[in-house]
Amino acid sequence: MIPKFNNYLNEASDYEFNPNEAAKRLKDREKENIQRYRAAQERGDNYAIELYQLKVQMDKIDLEGLKVQTAIHKLKQKNGK
């Protein structure tokens, strides 16, 4: 059975971007990854150390991306789009 594409479009258009909620989620995720990184260091788990280093780097990239998304959101609001 093929899923209906239109349903996905409707769900996407119903989504209201909230920069504050998105920032909170990203910061919480970053905090959790930092805690896991420190725990991995205490255990001496080299795989987990490297994994969480990479995840923290991704969190920082995602926070930068959120700044761009927020600017786009503000621009759309300003222009009534």
Side-chain angles (χ1 to χ4, degrees):
M1 181 174 177
I2 299 174
K4 292 186 178 181
F5 186 69
N6 290 338
N7 289 341
Y8 297 117
L9 292 177
N10 291 337
E11 289 174 13
S13 65
D14 290 343
Y15 173 73
E16 179 65 31
F17 176 69
N18 185 326
N20 293 331
E21 285 181 19
K24 183 182 180 323
R25 281 193 310 273
L26 286 174
K27 288 178 183 180
D28 288 347
R29 185 180 78 189
E30 181 182 32
K31 183 179 176 182
E32 185 176 300
N33 284 331
I34 289 170
Q35 289 172 344
R36 289 178 177 177
Y37 169 74
R38 290 181 180 149
Q41 285 181 315
E42 289 175 9
R43 292 191 313 270
D45 184 344
N46 291 330
Y47 168 77
I49 291 170
E50 190 171 345
L51 174 67
Y52 288 107
Q53 280 178 330
L54 294 170
K55 286 187 175 220
V56 169
Q57 285 178 342
M58 185 57 87
D59 291 337
K60 292 181 186 317
I61 291 168
D62 288 346
L63 285 167
E64 287 299 313
L66 178 61
K67 290 178 186 177
V68 174
Q69 285 181 310
T70 301
I72 291 169
H73 180 70
K74 287 180 181 178
L75 180 65
K76 286 180 178 181
Q77 284 183 326
K78 179 180 172 183
N79 292 290
K81 304 275 180 179

